[in-house]
């Protein structure tokens, strides 16, 4: 296996929306990056910066106008057809007519590799909702539902996990708790995660690397590595190191925000 | 309070019957104009064999026509969602078929299908079909975008999307259509029997009415109401088994 096969490479990704009677909109312009396998990557930026668009390209839910993305040497379309991409959205998107256990098993069932009951139970226990396995989604809180969505994604045994603001609808306290839970679960598997967020603190706390994006046109303007070991982070959540990283992210966001605004007609 | 709430529908009916009973006596209303409820009930018992015999005739065309309309409605709705051109091609035709007054084409139906149960079944199916179709289309279209995206993320094929997401999501709306269709089907059955044939509760209504046997007319109406209520109740029971929304609400 070459070095290339152990990483995720984006080369000059462009996505241009063309609509009749309107200027073409560059949702993404010349986005390039290399991500090591097993890293936790956050995409952060204001609305319209293309972070969700980029995530959808990772998931093969959108196809770039030009450029190339390979995940361990394969294009996303191949991974999607192999059902090797785990997805989490802002909404848990659990099916209300299925129990939590059935929801966790659902995607595996569709992929014709339905997880056996003991595996579903193990996944539910892993995310801390073991005793709700026979409950229906509406009986659970928002945070609990997102835990179920995480278990459902893990049930696929994916190569990559894509998360689109999964905790965006949760209150701050629940969100912090879910961050710790996510780190706890992720540390065991070291799955490559692409995590879209609006929250600077969340990005700094969770990531190995943060890609800062800016709008008009959507592009990556900075990459920030966060080297602090995971096990130190809970105690240092508001410590100098993570605060410095957050400030750096903030700095890049603000600088590029102003540039973007100046380009707009008054 | 909750006890009162529970019996409220029953109480209204009893009060209405009492007012009806006493006003027919008090004002001395003639029986062939408006028979008292007690008279209607007594008549119903007397003519019970005749009512029962005709009830089976009505029930059989009703259930066959309704079943046909439901199956066609759901099938066409699924087809319209899977193949948008089918929808564009057929929707105007379907809507037009609904604007035709069904009774006005009864003579035509007799010409085509004869005087047996077929024209009645046809009218009922035509009436039942539309609410089922419209509600199923709305239900299938109303699928949560997030759920569809989730299905796409694992490359789910059309059948699996229907089996796991679209059809279950549409079930509450399909049941709304089934209930609507049932009420119009009962009307269709009775009116169909007015126009065609020599048996059934609709036929009986017409025969009694022309002989000024008003108490018999009321007894027949009572039976029709009972049949509708029982069928409607059966659907709500089935709904509770199949519809997740009904389960959540109960």
């Amino acid at each position: 296996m070459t070095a290339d096969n152990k990483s995720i490479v984006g080369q000059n990704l462009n996505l241009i929306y063309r609509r009749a009677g309107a200027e073409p909109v560059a949702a993404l312009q010349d986005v390039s990056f290399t991500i090591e396998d097993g890293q936790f990557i956050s995409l952060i930026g204001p609305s319209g910066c293309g972070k969700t668009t980029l995530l959808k390209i990772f998931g093969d839910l959108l196809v770039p106008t030009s450029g190339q993305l390979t995940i361990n040497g394969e294009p996303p379309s191949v991974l999607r057809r192999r059902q090797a991409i785990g997805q989490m959205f802002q909404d848990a998107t659990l099916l209300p007519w299925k129990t939590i256990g059935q929801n966790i098993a659902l995607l595996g069932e569709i992929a014709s590799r339905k997880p056996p009951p003991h595996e579903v139970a193990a996944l539910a226990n892993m995310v801390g909702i073991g005793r709700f396995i026979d409950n229906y989604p509406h009986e659970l809180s928002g945070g609990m539902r997102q835990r179920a969505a995480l278990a459902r994604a893990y049930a696929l045994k994916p190569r990559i996990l894509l998360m689109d603001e999964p905790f965006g609808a949760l209150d701050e306290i629940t969100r912090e708790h879910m961050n710790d839970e996510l780190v706890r679960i992720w540390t065991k598997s070291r799955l490559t995660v692409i995590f879209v967020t609006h929250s600077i603190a969340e990005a700094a706390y969770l990531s190995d690397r943060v890609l800062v994006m800016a709008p008009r046109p959507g592009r990556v303007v900075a990459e920030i590595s966060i080297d602090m070991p995971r096990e130190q982070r809970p105690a240092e959540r508001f410590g100098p190191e993570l605060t410095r990283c957050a400030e750096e992210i903030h700095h890049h966001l603000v600088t590029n925000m102003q540039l973007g605004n100046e380009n707009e007609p008054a | 309070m909750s006890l009162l709430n529970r019996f409220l529908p029953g109480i209204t009916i009893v009060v209405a019957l009492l007012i009806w009973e006493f006003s027919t006596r008090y004002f001395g209303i003639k029986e062939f104009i408006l028979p008292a409820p007690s008279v209607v009930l007594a008549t119903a018992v007397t003519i019970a064999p005749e009512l029962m015999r005709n009830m089976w005739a009505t029930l059989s065309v009703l259930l066959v026509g309704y079943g046909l309309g439901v199956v066609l409605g759901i099938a066409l709705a699924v087809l319209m969602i899977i193949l948008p051109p089918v929808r564009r091609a057929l929707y105007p035709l379907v809507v037009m078929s609904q604007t035709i007054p069904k009774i006005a084409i009864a003579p035509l139906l007799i010409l085509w299908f004869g005087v047996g149960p077929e024209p009645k079944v046809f009218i009922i199916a035509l009436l039942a079909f539309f609410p089922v179709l419209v509600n199923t289309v709305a239900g299938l279209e109303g699928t949560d975008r997030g759920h569809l995206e989730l299905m796409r993320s694992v490359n789910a094929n059309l059948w699996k999307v229907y089996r796991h997401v679209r059809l279950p999501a549409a079930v509450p709306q399909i049941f709304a259509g089934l209930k609507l269709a049932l009420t119009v089907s009962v009307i269709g059955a009775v009116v169909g029997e007015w126009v065609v044939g020599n048996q059934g509760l609709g036929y009986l209504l017409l025969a009694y009415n022309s002989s000024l046997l008003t108490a018999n007319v009321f007894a027949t109406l009572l039976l029709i109401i009972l049949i509708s209520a029982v069928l409607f109740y059966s659907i709500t029971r089935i709904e509770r088994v199949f519809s997740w929304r009904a389960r959540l609400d109960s």
Side-chain angles (χ1 to χ4, degrees), chain B residues 199-220:
Chain B
Q199 55 175 349
L201 295 176
Y203 165 79
L204 219 51
L205 271 181
L206 208 63
Y208 288 149
N209 205 27
S210 56
S211 317
L212 284 186
L213 293 167
T214 313
N216 296 32
V217 170
F218 272 93
T220 314

PDB file of all heavy atoms in Angstrom, chain B residues 199-220:
ATOM      1  N   GLN B 199     -82.104  -5.428  -5.733  1.00  0.00           N
ATOM      2  CA  GLN B 199     -81.830  -5.809  -4.358  1.00  0.00           C
ATOM      3  C   GLN B 199     -80.828  -4.833  -3.736  1.00  0.00           C
ATOM      4  O   GLN B 199     -80.295  -3.962  -4.404  1.00  0.00           O
ATOM      5  CB  GLN B 199     -81.278  -7.237  -4.287  1.00  0.00           C
ATOM      6  CG  GLN B 199     -80.046  -7.432  -5.148  1.00  0.00           C
ATOM      7  CD  GLN B 199     -79.459  -8.825  -4.965  1.00  0.00           C
ATOM      8  OE1 GLN B 199     -79.836  -9.555  -4.064  1.00  0.00           O
ATOM      9  NE2 GLN B 199     -78.516  -9.181  -5.817  1.00  0.00           N
ATOM     10  N   GLY B 200     -80.633  -4.993  -2.442  1.00  0.00           N
ATOM     11  CA  GLY B 200     -79.722  -4.093  -1.731  1.00  0.00           C
ATOM     12  C   GLY B 200     -80.480  -3.039  -0.948  1.00  0.00           C
ATOM     13  O   GLY B 200     -81.661  -2.791  -1.187  1.00  0.00           O
ATOM     14  N   LEU B 201     -79.780  -2.432   0.007  1.00  0.00           N
ATOM     15  CA  LEU B 201     -80.435  -1.475   0.896  1.00  0.00           C
ATOM     16  C   LEU B 201     -80.893  -0.224   0.155  1.00  0.00           C
ATOM     17  O   LEU B 201     -81.916   0.375   0.475  1.00  0.00           O
ATOM     18  CB  LEU B 201     -79.486  -1.094   2.037  1.00  0.00           C
ATOM     19  CG  LEU B 201     -79.116  -2.242   2.986  1.00  0.00           C
ATOM     20  CD1 LEU B 201     -78.092  -1.782   4.012  1.00  0.00           C
ATOM     21  CD2 LEU B 201     -80.360  -2.777   3.679  1.00  0.00           C
ATOM     22  N   GLY B 202     -80.136   0.180  -0.864  1.00  0.00           N
ATOM     23  CA  GLY B 202     -80.526   1.346  -1.653  1.00  0.00           C
ATOM     24  C   GLY B 202     -81.823   1.082  -2.400  1.00  0.00           C
ATOM     25  O   GLY B 202     -82.733   1.917  -2.425  1.00  0.00           O
ATOM     26  N   TYR B 203     -81.911  -0.097  -2.972  1.00  0.00           N
ATOM     27  CA  TYR B 203     -83.136  -0.502  -3.674  1.00  0.00           C
ATOM     28  C   TYR B 203     -84.308  -0.528  -2.702  1.00  0.00           C
ATOM     29  O   TYR B 203     -85.402  -0.039  -2.988  1.00  0.00           O
ATOM     30  CB  TYR B 203     -82.920  -1.871  -4.309  1.00  0.00           C
ATOM     31  CG  TYR B 203     -84.195  -2.543  -4.747  1.00  0.00           C
ATOM     32  CD1 TYR B 203     -84.827  -2.171  -5.934  1.00  0.00           C
ATOM     33  CD2 TYR B 203     -84.768  -3.548  -3.965  1.00  0.00           C
ATOM     34  CE1 TYR B 203     -86.004  -2.782  -6.319  1.00  0.00           C
ATOM     35  CE2 TYR B 203     -85.952  -4.155  -4.346  1.00  0.00           C
ATOM     36  CZ  TYR B 203     -86.561  -3.774  -5.521  1.00  0.00           C
ATOM     37  OH  TYR B 203     -87.723  -4.370  -5.899  1.00  0.00           O
ATOM     38  N   LEU B 204     -84.049  -1.077  -1.517  1.00  0.00           N
ATOM     39  CA  LEU B 204     -85.075  -1.193  -0.486  1.00  0.00           C
ATOM     40  C   LEU B 204     -85.607   0.184  -0.088  1.00  0.00           C
ATOM     41  O   LEU B 204     -86.814   0.402   0.050  1.00  0.00           O
ATOM     42  CB  LEU B 204     -84.450  -1.888   0.736  1.00  0.00           C
ATOM     43  CG  LEU B 204     -85.300  -2.894   1.498  1.00  0.00           C
ATOM     44  CD1 LEU B 204     -85.902  -3.923   0.553  1.00  0.00           C
ATOM     45  CD2 LEU B 204     -84.454  -3.580   2.555  1.00  0.00           C
ATOM     46  N   LEU B 205     -84.678   1.136   0.081  1.00  0.00           N
ATOM     47  CA  LEU B 205     -85.052   2.506   0.440  1.00  0.00           C
ATOM     48  C   LEU B 205     -86.049   3.060  -0.556  1.00  0.00           C
ATOM     49  O   LEU B 205     -87.090   3.621  -0.182  1.00  0.00           O
ATOM     50  CB  LEU B 205     -83.814   3.404   0.411  1.00  0.00           C
ATOM     51  CG  LEU B 205     -82.979   3.554   1.679  1.00  0.00           C
ATOM     52  CD1 LEU B 205     -81.824   4.517   1.416  1.00  0.00           C
ATOM     53  CD2 LEU B 205     -83.843   4.060   2.823  1.00  0.00           C
ATOM     54  N   LEU B 206     -85.733   2.883  -1.823  1.00  0.00           N
ATOM     55  CA  LEU B 206     -86.571   3.427  -2.887  1.00  0.00           C
ATOM     56  C   LEU B 206     -87.946   2.746  -2.879  1.00  0.00           C
ATOM     57  O   LEU B 206     -88.978   3.413  -2.983  1.00  0.00           O
ATOM     58  CB  LEU B 206     -85.862   3.188  -4.231  1.00  0.00           C
ATOM     59  CG  LEU B 206     -86.171   4.175  -5.337  1.00  0.00           C
ATOM     60  CD1 LEU B 206     -85.714   5.561  -4.920  1.00  0.00           C
ATOM     61  CD2 LEU B 206     -85.480   3.752  -6.630  1.00  0.00           C
ATOM     62  N   ALA B 207     -87.941   1.410  -2.713  1.00  0.00           N
ATOM     63  CA  ALA B 207     -89.184   0.651  -2.720  1.00  0.00           C
ATOM     64  C   ALA B 207     -90.083   1.064  -1.541  1.00  0.00           C
ATOM     65  O   ALA B 207     -91.279   1.322  -1.715  1.00  0.00           O
ATOM     66  CB  ALA B 207     -88.879  -0.843  -2.649  1.00  0.00           C
ATOM     67  N   TYR B 208     -89.504   1.145  -0.347  1.00  0.00           N
ATOM     68  CA  TYR B 208     -90.272   1.561   0.842  1.00  0.00           C
ATOM     69  C   TYR B 208     -90.811   2.962   0.665  1.00  0.00           C
ATOM     70  O   TYR B 208     -91.953   3.266   1.003  1.00  0.00           O
ATOM     71  CB  TYR B 208     -89.380   1.528   2.085  1.00  0.00           C
ATOM     72  CG  TYR B 208     -89.034   0.138   2.571  1.00  0.00           C
ATOM     73  CD1 TYR B 208     -87.823  -0.108   3.197  1.00  0.00           C
ATOM     74  CD2 TYR B 208     -89.938  -0.919   2.433  1.00  0.00           C
ATOM     75  CE1 TYR B 208     -87.490  -1.367   3.657  1.00  0.00           C
ATOM     76  CE2 TYR B 208     -89.622  -2.189   2.888  1.00  0.00           C
ATOM     77  CZ  TYR B 208     -88.402  -2.408   3.499  1.00  0.00           C
ATOM     78  OH  TYR B 208     -88.083  -3.642   3.954  1.00  0.00           O
ATOM     79  N   ASN B 209     -89.994   3.839   0.136  1.00  0.00           N
ATOM     80  CA  ASN B 209     -90.378   5.235   0.012  1.00  0.00           C
ATOM     81  C   ASN B 209     -91.566   5.390  -0.921  1.00  0.00           C
ATOM     82  O   ASN B 209     -92.506   6.142  -0.640  1.00  0.00           O
ATOM     83  CB  ASN B 209     -89.176   6.035  -0.498  1.00  0.00           C
ATOM     84  CG  ASN B 209     -89.269   7.497  -0.080  1.00  0.00           C
ATOM     85  OD1 ASN B 209     -89.896   7.811   0.938  1.00  0.00           O
ATOM     86  ND2 ASN B 209     -88.665   8.359  -0.855  1.00  0.00           N
ATOM     87  N   SER B 210     -91.544   4.617  -2.019  1.00  0.00           N
ATOM     88  CA  SER B 210     -92.631   4.764  -2.986  1.00  0.00           C
ATOM     89  C   SER B 210     -93.930   4.177  -2.433  1.00  0.00           C
ATOM     90  O   SER B 210     -95.008   4.492  -2.912  1.00  0.00           O
ATOM     91  CB  SER B 210     -92.256   4.118  -4.322  1.00  0.00           C
ATOM     92  OG  SER B 210     -91.928   2.768  -4.100  1.00  0.00           O
ATOM     93  N   SER B 211     -93.836   3.318  -1.389  1.00  0.00           N
ATOM     94  CA  SER B 211     -95.046   2.789  -0.764  1.00  0.00           C
ATOM     95  C   SER B 211     -95.416   3.572   0.490  1.00  0.00           C
ATOM     96  O   SER B 211     -96.274   3.139   1.260  1.00  0.00           O
ATOM     97  CB  SER B 211     -94.860   1.321  -0.387  1.00  0.00           C
ATOM     98  OG  SER B 211     -94.211   0.627  -1.407  1.00  0.00           O
ATOM     99  N   LEU B 212     -94.707   4.680   0.715  1.00  0.00           N
ATOM    100  CA  LEU B 212     -94.927   5.522   1.906  1.00  0.00           C
ATOM    101  C   LEU B 212     -94.739   4.742   3.209  1.00  0.00           C
ATOM    102  O   LEU B 212     -95.369   5.035   4.216  1.00  0.00           O
ATOM    103  CB  LEU B 212     -96.321   6.157   1.882  1.00  0.00           C
ATOM    104  CG  LEU B 212     -96.489   7.331   0.914  1.00  0.00           C
ATOM    105  CD1 LEU B 212     -97.863   7.963   1.092  1.00  0.00           C
ATOM    106  CD2 LEU B 212     -95.399   8.369   1.104  1.00  0.00           C
ATOM    107  N   LEU B 213     -93.872   3.720   3.174  1.00  0.00           N
ATOM    108  CA  LEU B 213     -93.540   2.990   4.406  1.00  0.00           C
ATOM    109  C   LEU B 213     -92.370   3.710   5.086  1.00  0.00           C
ATOM    110  O   LEU B 213     -91.243   3.234   5.111  1.00  0.00           O
ATOM    111  CB  LEU B 213     -93.154   1.538   4.078  1.00  0.00           C
ATOM    112  CG  LEU B 213     -94.293   0.692   3.530  1.00  0.00           C
ATOM    113  CD1 LEU B 213     -93.782  -0.620   2.945  1.00  0.00           C
ATOM    114  CD2 LEU B 213     -95.309   0.429   4.642  1.00  0.00           C
ATOM    115  N   THR B 214     -92.680   4.882   5.632  1.00  0.00           N
ATOM    116  CA  THR B 214     -91.610   5.756   6.114  1.00  0.00           C
ATOM    117  C   THR B 214     -90.829   5.132   7.269  1.00  0.00           C
ATOM    118  O   THR B 214     -89.618   5.293   7.362  1.00  0.00           O
ATOM    119  CB  THR B 214     -92.193   7.111   6.542  1.00  0.00           C
ATOM    120  OG1 THR B 214     -93.078   7.550   5.507  1.00  0.00           O
ATOM    121  CG2 THR B 214     -91.096   8.137   6.721  1.00  0.00           C
ATOM    122  N   ALA B 215     -91.529   4.421   8.136  1.00  0.00           N
ATOM    123  CA  ALA B 215     -90.822   3.768   9.249  1.00  0.00           C
ATOM    124  C   ALA B 215     -89.816   2.767   8.716  1.00  0.00           C
ATOM    125  O   ALA B 215     -88.694   2.648   9.239  1.00  0.00           O
ATOM    126  CB  ALA B 215     -91.820   3.081  10.177  1.00  0.00           C
ATOM    127  N   ASN B 216     -90.168   2.069   7.647  1.00  0.00           N
ATOM    128  CA  ASN B 216     -89.241   1.116   7.024  1.00  0.00           C
ATOM    129  C   ASN B 216     -88.026   1.845   6.443  1.00  0.00           C
ATOM    130  O   ASN B 216     -86.906   1.365   6.520  1.00  0.00           O
ATOM    131  CB  ASN B 216     -89.933   0.337   5.908  1.00  0.00           C
ATOM    132  CG  ASN B 216     -91.074  -0.528   6.418  1.00  0.00           C
ATOM    133  OD1 ASN B 216     -91.723  -0.136   7.397  1.00  0.00           O
ATOM    134  ND2 ASN B 216     -91.302  -1.646   5.781  1.00  0.00           N
ATOM    135  N   VAL B 217     -88.302   3.026   5.844  1.00  0.00           N
ATOM    136  CA  VAL B 217     -87.198   3.832   5.295  1.00  0.00           C
ATOM    137  C   VAL B 217     -86.214   4.172   6.411  1.00  0.00           C
ATOM    138  O   VAL B 217     -85.005   3.991   6.278  1.00  0.00           O
ATOM    139  CB  VAL B 217     -87.736   5.125   4.639  1.00  0.00           C
ATOM    140  CG1 VAL B 217     -86.573   6.057   4.287  1.00  0.00           C
ATOM    141  CG2 VAL B 217     -88.555   4.801   3.404  1.00  0.00           C
ATOM    142  N   PHE B 218     -86.762   4.629   7.536  1.00  0.00           N
ATOM    143  CA  PHE B 218     -85.893   5.007   8.653  1.00  0.00           C
ATOM    144  C   PHE B 218     -85.130   3.803   9.203  1.00  0.00           C
ATOM    145  O   PHE B 218     -83.960   3.908   9.559  1.00  0.00           O
ATOM    146  CB  PHE B 218     -86.700   5.698   9.753  1.00  0.00           C
ATOM    147  CG  PHE B 218     -86.802   7.175   9.540  1.00  0.00           C
ATOM    148  CD1 PHE B 218     -87.888   7.718   8.849  1.00  0.00           C
ATOM    149  CD2 PHE B 218     -85.819   8.030  10.013  1.00  0.00           C
ATOM    150  CE1 PHE B 218     -87.981   9.083   8.640  1.00  0.00           C
ATOM    151  CE2 PHE B 218     -85.909   9.400   9.804  1.00  0.00           C
ATOM    152  CZ  PHE B 218     -86.997   9.927   9.116  1.00  0.00           C
ATOM    153  N   ALA B 219     -85.806   2.669   9.259  1.00  0.00           N
ATOM    154  CA  ALA B 219     -85.138   1.460   9.755  1.00  0.00           C
ATOM    155  C   ALA B 219     -83.967   1.099   8.838  1.00  0.00           C
ATOM    156  O   ALA B 219     -82.882   0.717   9.303  1.00  0.00           O
ATOM    157  CB  ALA B 219     -86.135   0.311   9.825  1.00  0.00           C
ATOM    158  N   THR B 220     -84.173   1.259   7.518  1.00  0.00           N
ATOM    159  CA  THR B 220     -83.110   0.960   6.562  1.00  0.00           C
ATOM    160  C   THR B 220     -81.947   1.928   6.734  1.00  0.00           C
ATOM    161  O   THR B 220     -80.769   1.539   6.731  1.00  0.00           O
ATOM    162  CB  THR B 220     -83.654   1.029   5.121  1.00  0.00           C
ATOM    163  OG1 THR B 220     -84.890   0.317   5.063  1.00  0.00           O
ATOM    164  CG2 THR B 220     -82.671   0.446   4.133  1.00  0.00           C
TER     165      THR B 220
END
